[in-house]
Amino acid sequence: MAKKRKVTYVCQACGYSSPQWYGRCPNCGTWNQMEEEVLNGQAIDHPEDYPAHYTTSKPTTLSNVQAENEPRIKTQLSELNRVLGGGIVLGSLILIGGDPGIGKSTLLLQVSAEMSAMEKTVLYVSGEESVHQIKLRADRLGFEGADFYVYSETDMSQIEVAIADIEPDFVVIDSIQTMTHSESDGMAGSVSQVRQSTNELMRIAKRLNVTIFIVGHVTKEGNIAGPRMLEHMVDTVLYFEGEKYNTFRMLRAVKNRFGSTNEIGVFDMHENGLEEVTNPSQLFIEERLAGANGSAVVASLEGTRTLMTEIQALLTPTAFGNARRTASGLDYARVSVIMAVLEKRAGLMLQNQDAYLKSTGGVRLDEPAIDLAIAVAIASSYWEKETKSTDCFVGEIGLTGEIRRVSRIQDRISEAAKIGFERIFVPKGNLDGLPPADGIQVIGVKTLRETLKRALP
């Protein structure tokens, strides 16, 4: 009699497994994500079945471990080096996610060409394109002379053989959702296949000291498709962001075991690939209209970088019973709180005003120091008073209308002075011990009402 196969139902959103099918996942609550997977029932019963790198290592005390700096390789893209924390760490596993067509494959193809020019061995594995299509794309981007290995394959066992044969320094997997592993019975892109394939790539990276870049698709919510454990398994998680009708792209680190998180790199997409934007602050504010109301500039922090970004607000009388609120690039809840403080503490009647706010350049701002600029932009549009083009604003707003101090105020002032601003409004608490600034007037403010009176006389 044939042995009855064992099946389980796995949620494709969170990886939750159950012996029975559910329409709604009991763990994450998503609908119609439970798919059937066959259990192969194979287990490791003998010590010799374990990979060699598991059996040779032994526990040791921390005091006996020799601390060594991780060797890094710098690419020709300084923005990528910044996001990675100073360069590519050998033996690391790097996951890059982003919307379709945003430029993930273009970025990695450009890095592969640059690494091959530095006499590094690169293997570019694509499960979505043939080798001829990769060649056509490389020629279109101007990389005709690039000399690295290309391989169109989705079977992880074949890819492992190719890596062992070529012994590359860098490997690109485009994308992880197309890879299949023989020990998993799910279809390509399923939780089990993504988990098993990533685990195999992690083993290869650590055992052979090979740096592996993995391209990951994202869901409509903006999260990397597959189980959340995928982001826990890799060393670095990068998100490639940008607006559909904007050529600017932002590479953001949300996890980095070898550097700081929330670093960003700014690129400009052209026909011949990605070009670095070395001065994004000037770029984001160069099209600002002089004499326009509803505009304010903030010196915000993105990792170790200070960006001068314009925040725009437009208020119009509502035509319906409930006022409409829209925020693009800003946190909606933060905007609602600031509008409530403006109404209560500064006397603005905003209940019958539709409010539309956005941050220019496709930058998403989400730090407390942008509160003051948001408030000034809203008040400027409400009163129809222009803000001076040479003013910028930094500060967190409390619920009682006070302006609270923020971090790294010296870096923000220096960036504003370098761009050419003449005045910067900062929390009064940040003035203690602050050295005199050259070329810019630093104005300390204590309350929101005081700020509006001095910025919008």
Side-chain angles (χ1 to χ4, degrees):
M1 183 176 178
K3 185 176 180 181
K4 185 178 179 180
R5 66 174 188 169
K6 296 181 180 180
V7 298
T8 185
Y9 296 91
V10 180
C11 175
Q12 302 303 300
C14 67
Y16 173 80
S17 61
S18 171
Q20 78 175 76
W21 182 86
Y22 292 99
R24 184 174 186 268
C25 175
N27 185 48
C28 66
T30 56
W31 289 89
N32 300 323
Q33 291 293 322
M34 303 291 289
E35 292 188 7
E36 178 183 302
E37 293 187 7
V38 180
L39 298 177
N40 53 28
Q42 296 180 357
I44 299 177
D45 296 325
H46 306 287
E48 58 269 18
D49 293 335
Y50 285 91
H53 69 286
Y54 283 166
T55 57
T56 56
S57 61
K58 294 181 180 180
T60 184
T61 59
L62 185 62
S63 58
N64 291 330
V65 176
Q66 298 295 325
E68 298 180 358
N69 293 328
E70 294 286 348
R72 294 179 183 267
I73 297 179
K74 292 186 179 295
T75 68
Q76 296 179 15
L77 296 173
S78 59
E79 294 294 297
L80 177 60
N81 296 333
R82 171 195 291 272
V83 175
L84 292 175
I88 301 174
V89 176
L90 296 178
S92 60
L93 194 61
I94 303 169
L95 174 64
I96 300 181
D99 294 331
I102 204 70
K104 303 183 296 297
S105 300
T106 300
L107 173 64
L108 292 180
L109 192 64
Q110 190 167 337
V111 172
S112 299
E114 292 176 356
M115 288 293 103
S116 64
M118 297 169 60
E119 299 183 354
K120 302 292 182 182
T121 306
V122 181
L123 174 61
Y124 189 102
V125 181
S126 177
E128 302 174 347
E129 297 177 292
S130 66
V131 293
H132 302 288
Q133 292 171 330
I134 298 174
K135 174 61 177 175
L136 288 174
R137 187 155 56 88
D139 292 345
R140 177 174 57 85
L141 296 174
F143 304 139
E144 299 92 342
D147 188 19
F148 57 89
Y149 292 94
V150 292
Y151 191 28
S152 180
E153 183 59 66
T154 60
D155 189 351
M156 281 301 305
S157 60
Q158 296 297 324
I159 294 173
E160 187 172 5
V161 171
I163 293 175
D165 183 38
I166 298 174
E167 297 183 355
D169 300 303
F170 299 91
V171 176
V172 176
I173 304 295
D174 187 8
S175 65
I176 191 63
Q177 278 79 15
T178 62
M179 298 296 121
T180 58
H181 198 282
S182 58
E183 295 184 4
S184 178
D185 296 315
M187 62 181 295
S190 64
V191 170
S192 59
Q193 286 286 6
V194 171
R195 180 176 59 239
Q196 195 72 28
S197 299
T198 306
N199 186 64
E200 184 71 15
L201 291 171
M202 181 178 64
R203 183 180 66 84
I204 294 172
K206 303 308 178 184
R207 186 184 62 180
L208 302 179
N209 201 33
V210 177
T211 301
I212 301 180
F213 290 90
I214 301 176
V215 175
H217 295 163
V218 297
T219 63
K220 61 182 180 180
E221 291 82 13
N223 300 319
I224 294 180
R228 294 295 296 180
M229 67 181 65
L230 174 62
E231 299 184 31
H232 296 290
M233 295 171 68
V234 301
D235 297 312
T236 305
V237 179
L238 307 178
Y239 276 89
F240 212 35
E241 306 169 350
E243 294 183 356
K244 183 178 181 181
Y245 301 106
N246 198 328
T247 60
F248 299 117
R249 301 289 186 266
M250 304 214 180
L251 187 64
R252 186 184 303 270
V254 296
K255 173 189 176 181
N256 192 355
R257 289 175 178 161
F258 311 109
S260 62
T261 58
N262 293 323
E263 284 285 1
I264 69 165
V266 184
F267 299 89
D268 194 1
M269 177 71 78
H270 295 285
E271 293 182 356
N272 57 349
L274 293 164
E275 183 178 327
E276 295 179 278
V277 178
T278 56
N279 190 1
S281 294
Q282 185 68 42
L283 182 70
F284 292 149
I285 63 175
E286 66 180 359
E287 297 180 0
R288 187 186 183 202
L289 291 178
N293 59 58
S295 172
V297 175
V298 59
S300 64
L301 292 179
E302 291 289 345
T304 59
R305 164 178 277 169
T306 304
L307 293 180
M308 305 300 296
T309 312
E310 181 187 5
I311 295 177
Q312 295 180 340
L314 176 63
L315 271 67
T316 59
T318 182
F320 305 99
N322 295 324
R324 185 177 181 182
R325 306 280 188 259
T326 301
S328 175
L330 303 170
D331 183 52
Y332 178 82
R334 182 184 299 277
V335 171
S336 299
V337 170
I338 294 173
M339 294 188 70
V341 175
L342 280 169
E343 191 161 6
K344 186 72 173 180
R345 308 299 179 188
L348 278 69
M349 183 58 65
L350 303 176
Q351 297 177 4
N352 58 351
Q353 297 286 322
D354 291 338
Y356 307 90
L357 288 94
K358 67 170 296 184
S359 62
T360 59
V363 185
R364 178 160 185 84
L365 303 176
D366 190 19
E367 65 153 335
I370 68 173
D371 290 356
L372 191 57
I374 294 175
V376 171
I378 293 173
S380 172
S381 179
Y382 179 79
W383 286 327
E384 295 188 358
K385 292 183 178 181
E386 64 178 87
T387 56
K388 292 184 178 180
S389 59
T390 55
D391 288 352
C392 61
F393 307 87
V394 175
E396 179 186 358
I397 297 178
L399 295 182
T400 59
E402 81 278 13
I403 309 299
R404 308 179 69 88
R405 69 177 65 197
V406 296
S407 62
R408 291 177 53 191
I409 191 64
Q410 185 62 53
D411 294 340
R412 303 176 195 263
I413 295 174
S414 299
E415 181 69 16
K418 184 176 71 174
I419 298 300
F421 286 90
E422 297 177 0
R423 297 196 306 176
I424 180 171
F425 291 80
V426 302
K428 203 163 188 177
N430 280 118
L431 296 180
D432 298 337
L434 190 68
D438 295 330
I440 189 171
Q441 181 184 1
V442 181
I443 302 175
V445 289
K446 195 172 183 180
T447 64
L448 177 58
R449 188 181 292 271
E450 177 191 354
T451 306
L452 298 179
K453 184 181 296 185
R454 302 184 68 173
L456 302 170

